[in-house]
Amino acid sequence: MAKKTPSRFQREDGETVLMSDEDIIDRIFDHIDNGTTDRGQSSWKEPTANYLSADRLDQELAVLRSRWTVFCPSSALPKSGDYIARDAAGIPLIVVRGNDGDVRAFRNACRHRGVQVAKGHGCTSVFVCPYHGWSYGTDGALRSVPHGDGFPGLEKESRGLVSLGCVEKKGLVFVRQDTDQKEGKGLLEIPDLIPDGFRVVTSAALEIEANWKLHLESALEGYHIRSTHQTTFFPVQYDNLTVVEAFGENSRIAFPYQAIEGLRDKPKSKWSTNGRVTFVYHLFPNVIISTFPDCMQVVIIEPLELELTRQHMFLLTDCAEGGEALDAVFKGQEFAAKGAIEDRDVVVSAQRGLESGANVFLEFGLFESAIGKFHGTLKQELEDTAS
């Protein structure tokens, strides 16, 4: 096994948390030559009841509200007035970039009768409630009330949109809903994942008829590559070959392409994972960031119901508009989308299998250690939130 050397990603105490390209490629070659892959120290058995219990889902949503979670990439809100309105952990929110350039988050509810004041995404200087016309600035302040004389004593200063914790960090926008708690987790030990100059070129939302954890799990292991992706990812990648790293409560999984063999005869100083490895970053609990040649995808996985999940997808690149490089990015994403459809099919099938009652637990083996880490961390978070 190749020796692990200092990485460009380090905590303040100097401890290495992610390997360099050279180290990753060394380890991949080691696995190719020996027919091996990274393994965890133990398997994990997750009770199927944890996928089927409404009470458990309520507890998981409470975890999502109690901590800092990714809402969108910063570049999804490039201009003043740009906003995204969607549900997060079951709560309707608005995130908007103000005239001062700061990004803010609010509960999406008019302070008169609670109607949502924004839908979807767009750009505006004012949010107007469609029910009675109360309006709010991008700073959340209540600006006007039609026929205001009907509300004697109304204190506009205290009736703005209800604000939430909102932070831009590492090219991502984080929101925290339960701001009354003393502290929130989720901002530590995140490396610079979004390169400078990357912008959002497409965004979309898709619903999957399965529990959110089943959907998340499908991204965190390469054990299924050969069986599930026989005509898509498998001819490009390898059967059950990944490098798995942990950084804090998060994970990074490296999926090498067979094109990596082209680096065998090149000096290590010329080694690069670009175009030869897909990195999947799991930011606990519900965000997947995947790298592809000249682009990356940010996916936020939102639980809607026990058997219904919505994923919000953002494709980012620094390729110039209208150029061949951007065309190649879109073509590559068409290929990746075929594999994603295959993943969704097996995830929905797994949901049906849960409901059959055949299993009392799902077992994640040594090759699926990032999934075991996810469930172990979630279990601890549930215990901490309940205490």
Side-chain angles (χ1 to χ4, degrees), residues 12-40:
E12 290 183 359
D13 60 8
E15 181 180 347
T16 299
V17 291
L18 290 177
M19 290 188 290
S20 66
D21 279 10
E22 181 180 313
D23 297 329
I24 286 284
I25 294 168
D26 252 336
R27 181 172 290 188
I28 289 168
F29 283 155
D30 203 33
H31 283 320
I32 293 171
D33 295 342
N34 293 287
T36 56
T37 187
D38 275 14
R39 294 170 176 247

Short mmCIF file of all heavy atoms in Angstrom, two decimals, residues 12-40:
data_model
loop_
_atom_site.label_atom_id
_atom_site.label_comp_id
_atom_site.label_asym_id
_atom_site.label_seq_id
_atom_site.Cartn_x
_atom_site.Cartn_y
_atom_site.Cartn_z
N GLU A 12 -6.40 22.62 11.28
CA GLU A 12 -5.47 23.55 11.91
C GLU A 12 -4.42 22.82 12.75
O GLU A 12 -3.31 23.30 12.93
CB GLU A 12 -6.25 24.54 12.79
CG GLU A 12 -7.08 25.53 11.98
CD GLU A 12 -7.78 26.53 12.88
OE1 GLU A 12 -7.60 26.43 14.11
OE2 GLU A 12 -8.48 27.41 12.36
N ASP A 13 -4.77 21.63 13.26
CA ASP A 13 -3.79 20.89 14.06
C ASP A 13 -2.80 20.13 13.18
O ASP A 13 -1.92 19.43 13.69
CB ASP A 13 -4.51 19.91 15.00
CG ASP A 13 -5.36 18.88 14.27
OD1 ASP A 13 -5.29 18.80 13.04
OD2 ASP A 13 -6.08 18.15 14.96
N GLY A 14 -2.92 20.27 11.85
CA GLY A 14 -1.97 19.67 10.94
C GLY A 14 -2.30 18.25 10.52
O GLY A 14 -1.61 17.68 9.68
N GLU A 15 -3.33 17.65 11.07
CA GLU A 15 -3.67 16.27 10.73
C GLU A 15 -4.23 16.21 9.31
O GLU A 15 -5.11 16.96 8.94
CB GLU A 15 -4.69 15.70 11.71
CG GLU A 15 -5.07 14.25 11.40
CD GLU A 15 -6.08 13.71 12.39
OE1 GLU A 15 -6.30 14.35 13.43
OE2 GLU A 15 -6.65 12.64 12.10
N THR A 16 -3.67 15.29 8.52
CA THR A 16 -4.14 15.13 7.15
C THR A 16 -5.52 14.51 7.13
O THR A 16 -5.80 13.55 7.85
CB THR A 16 -3.15 14.24 6.36
OG1 THR A 16 -1.87 14.86 6.35
CG2 THR A 16 -3.62 14.03 4.94
N VAL A 17 -6.40 15.07 6.33
CA VAL A 17 -7.75 14.53 6.25
C VAL A 17 -8.09 14.00 4.86
O VAL A 17 -8.96 13.16 4.72
CB VAL A 17 -8.80 15.56 6.69
CG1 VAL A 17 -8.69 15.83 8.17
CG2 VAL A 17 -8.68 16.86 5.90
N LEU A 18 -7.42 14.47 3.83
CA LEU A 18 -7.66 13.97 2.48
C LEU A 18 -6.32 13.84 1.76
O LEU A 18 -5.44 14.68 1.89
CB LEU A 18 -8.57 14.92 1.69
CG LEU A 18 -10.03 14.98 2.13
CD1 LEU A 18 -10.78 16.02 1.30
CD2 LEU A 18 -10.71 13.63 1.99
N MET A 19 -6.21 12.80 0.97
CA MET A 19 -4.96 12.53 0.27
C MET A 19 -4.81 13.41 -0.97
O MET A 19 -5.79 13.86 -1.56
CB MET A 19 -4.90 11.06 -0.13
CG MET A 19 -4.72 10.12 1.04
SD MET A 19 -4.42 8.41 0.48
CE MET A 19 -6.03 8.00 -0.18
N SER A 20 -3.57 13.59 -1.39
CA SER A 20 -3.28 14.31 -2.63
C SER A 20 -3.58 13.43 -3.83
O SER A 20 -3.77 12.21 -3.72
CB SER A 20 -1.81 14.72 -2.64
OG SER A 20 -1.00 13.55 -2.71
N ASP A 21 -3.60 14.04 -5.02
CA ASP A 21 -3.81 13.28 -6.25
C ASP A 21 -2.79 12.16 -6.37
O ASP A 21 -3.12 11.03 -6.75
CB ASP A 21 -3.72 14.21 -7.46
CG ASP A 21 -5.00 14.98 -7.72
OD1 ASP A 21 -5.90 14.94 -6.86
OD2 ASP A 21 -5.10 15.63 -8.78
N GLU A 22 -1.54 12.47 -6.10
CA GLU A 22 -0.48 11.47 -6.24
C GLU A 22 -0.74 10.27 -5.33
O GLU A 22 -0.61 9.11 -5.76
CB GLU A 22 0.87 12.10 -5.90
CG GLU A 22 2.04 11.15 -6.03
CD GLU A 22 3.36 11.82 -5.69
OE1 GLU A 22 3.58 12.94 -6.20
OE2 GLU A 22 4.14 11.23 -4.93
N ASP A 23 -1.15 10.54 -4.10
CA ASP A 23 -1.41 9.45 -3.16
C ASP A 23 -2.60 8.61 -3.58
O ASP A 23 -2.59 7.38 -3.47
CB ASP A 23 -1.65 10.02 -1.76
CG ASP A 23 -0.43 10.75 -1.21
OD1 ASP A 23 0.69 10.35 -1.56
OD2 ASP A 23 -0.61 11.70 -0.44
N ILE A 24 -3.65 9.31 -4.04
CA ILE A 24 -4.85 8.60 -4.50
C ILE A 24 -4.50 7.67 -5.65
O ILE A 24 -4.89 6.49 -5.67
CB ILE A 24 -5.93 9.60 -4.93
CG1 ILE A 24 -6.57 10.28 -3.70
CG2 ILE A 24 -7.00 8.91 -5.77
CD1 ILE A 24 -7.56 9.42 -2.96
N ILE A 25 -3.77 8.17 -6.63
CA ILE A 25 -3.43 7.37 -7.81
C ILE A 25 -2.53 6.20 -7.42
O ILE A 25 -2.70 5.08 -7.92
CB ILE A 25 -2.80 8.26 -8.89
CG1 ILE A 25 -3.83 9.28 -9.40
CG2 ILE A 25 -2.25 7.42 -10.04
CD1 ILE A 25 -3.25 10.39 -10.25
N ASP A 26 -1.59 6.45 -6.53
CA ASP A 26 -0.74 5.36 -6.03
C ASP A 26 -1.59 4.24 -5.43
O ASP A 26 -1.36 3.05 -5.69
CB ASP A 26 0.23 5.90 -4.97
CG ASP A 26 1.66 5.98 -5.48
OD1 ASP A 26 2.00 5.24 -6.43
OD2 ASP A 26 2.44 6.78 -4.93
N ARG A 27 -2.54 4.63 -4.61
CA ARG A 27 -3.38 3.62 -3.95
C ARG A 27 -4.25 2.89 -4.97
O ARG A 27 -4.46 1.68 -4.86
CB ARG A 27 -4.24 4.26 -2.87
CG ARG A 27 -5.12 3.23 -2.13
CD ARG A 27 -5.82 3.82 -0.94
NE ARG A 27 -4.90 4.13 0.13
CZ ARG A 27 -5.28 4.52 1.36
NH1 ARG A 27 -6.57 4.63 1.64
NH2 ARG A 27 -4.39 4.80 2.27
N ILE A 28 -4.77 3.62 -5.95
CA ILE A 28 -5.59 2.99 -6.99
C ILE A 28 -4.77 1.95 -7.76
O ILE A 28 -5.23 0.83 -8.00
CB ILE A 28 -6.17 4.05 -7.93
CG1 ILE A 28 -7.25 4.86 -7.20
CG2 ILE A 28 -6.76 3.40 -9.18
CD1 ILE A 28 -7.69 6.10 -7.94
N PHE A 29 -3.55 2.32 -8.16
CA PHE A 29 -2.70 1.36 -8.87
C PHE A 29 -2.43 0.13 -8.01
O PHE A 29 -2.40 -1.00 -8.50
CB PHE A 29 -1.39 2.02 -9.29
CG PHE A 29 -1.49 2.92 -10.48
CD1 PHE A 29 -0.59 3.96 -10.67
CD2 PHE A 29 -2.49 2.73 -11.43
CE1 PHE A 29 -0.68 4.79 -11.78
CE2 PHE A 29 -2.59 3.57 -12.54
CZ PHE A 29 -1.68 4.59 -12.71
N ASP A 30 -2.23 0.34 -6.73
CA ASP A 30 -2.01 -0.76 -5.80
C ASP A 30 -3.22 -1.70 -5.80
O ASP A 30 -3.07 -2.93 -5.85
CB ASP A 30 -1.76 -0.19 -4.41
CG ASP A 30 -1.00 -1.15 -3.51
OD1 ASP A 30 -0.15 -1.89 -4.02
OD2 ASP A 30 -1.27 -1.14 -2.30
N HIS A 31 -4.42 -1.11 -5.76
CA HIS A 31 -5.64 -1.93 -5.78
C HIS A 31 -5.80 -2.66 -7.12
O HIS A 31 -6.18 -3.85 -7.15
CB HIS A 31 -6.86 -1.05 -5.53
CG HIS A 31 -7.05 -0.65 -4.10
ND1 HIS A 31 -6.83 -1.51 -3.04
CD2 HIS A 31 -7.47 0.52 -3.54
CE1 HIS A 31 -7.10 -0.89 -1.91
NE2 HIS A 31 -7.49 0.35 -2.18
N ILE A 32 -5.52 -1.98 -8.23
CA ILE A 32 -5.64 -2.62 -9.54
C ILE A 32 -4.70 -3.82 -9.63
O ILE A 32 -5.09 -4.91 -10.06
CB ILE A 32 -5.34 -1.61 -10.67
CG1 ILE A 32 -6.42 -0.52 -10.73
CG2 ILE A 32 -5.25 -2.33 -12.02
CD1 ILE A 32 -6.08 0.62 -11.66
N ASP A 33 -3.47 -3.62 -9.20
CA ASP A 33 -2.46 -4.67 -9.32
C ASP A 33 -2.74 -5.86 -8.41
O ASP A 33 -2.33 -6.99 -8.72
CB ASP A 33 -1.08 -4.09 -9.00
CG ASP A 33 -0.63 -3.04 -10.01
OD1 ASP A 33 -1.21 -3.01 -11.13
OD2 ASP A 33 0.27 -2.25 -9.69
N ASN A 34 -3.41 -5.62 -7.30
CA ASN A 34 -3.64 -6.69 -6.33
C ASN A 34 -5.09 -7.18 -6.28
O ASN A 34 -5.42 -8.05 -5.47
CB ASN A 34 -3.22 -6.22 -4.94
CG ASN A 34 -1.72 -6.00 -4.83
OD1 ASN A 34 -0.95 -6.95 -4.78
ND2 ASN A 34 -1.30 -4.74 -4.82
N GLY A 35 -5.95 -6.61 -7.15
CA GLY A 35 -7.35 -7.02 -7.15
C GLY A 35 -8.06 -6.72 -5.85
O GLY A 35 -8.91 -7.50 -5.39
N THR A 36 -7.73 -5.56 -5.24
CA THR A 36 -8.28 -5.21 -3.93
C THR A 36 -9.05 -3.90 -4.02
O THR A 36 -9.17 -3.29 -5.08
CB THR A 36 -7.15 -5.07 -2.90
OG1 THR A 36 -6.19 -4.10 -3.38
CG2 THR A 36 -6.44 -6.41 -2.68
N THR A 37 -9.55 -3.45 -2.89
CA THR A 37 -10.21 -2.16 -2.76
C THR A 37 -10.14 -1.74 -1.30
O THR A 37 -9.78 -2.57 -0.43
CB THR A 37 -11.68 -2.26 -3.22
OG1 THR A 37 -12.26 -0.94 -3.24
CG2 THR A 37 -12.51 -3.12 -2.28
N ASP A 38 -10.44 -0.49 -1.01
CA ASP A 38 -10.46 -0.07 0.39
C ASP A 38 -11.56 -0.81 1.14
O ASP A 38 -12.66 -1.04 0.60
CB ASP A 38 -10.72 1.44 0.49
CG ASP A 38 -9.45 2.25 0.36
OD1 ASP A 38 -8.41 1.69 -0.07
OD2 ASP A 38 -9.48 3.46 0.67
N ARG A 39 -11.27 -1.18 2.37
CA ARG A 39 -12.23 -1.89 3.22
C ARG A 39 -12.34 -1.18 4.57
O ARG A 39 -11.35 -0.67 5.10
CB ARG A 39 -11.79 -3.33 3.49
CG ARG A 39 -11.75 -4.22 2.26
CD ARG A 39 -11.07 -5.54 2.61
NE ARG A 39 -11.09 -6.49 1.49
CZ ARG A 39 -11.79 -7.62 1.50
NH1 ARG A 39 -12.50 -7.96 2.56
NH2 ARG A 39 -11.76 -8.43 0.46
N GLY A 40 -13.56 -1.19 5.12
CA GLY A 40 -13.74 -0.73 6.48
C GLY A 40 -13.34 -1.82 7.46
O GLY A 40 -13.01 -2.95 7.06
#
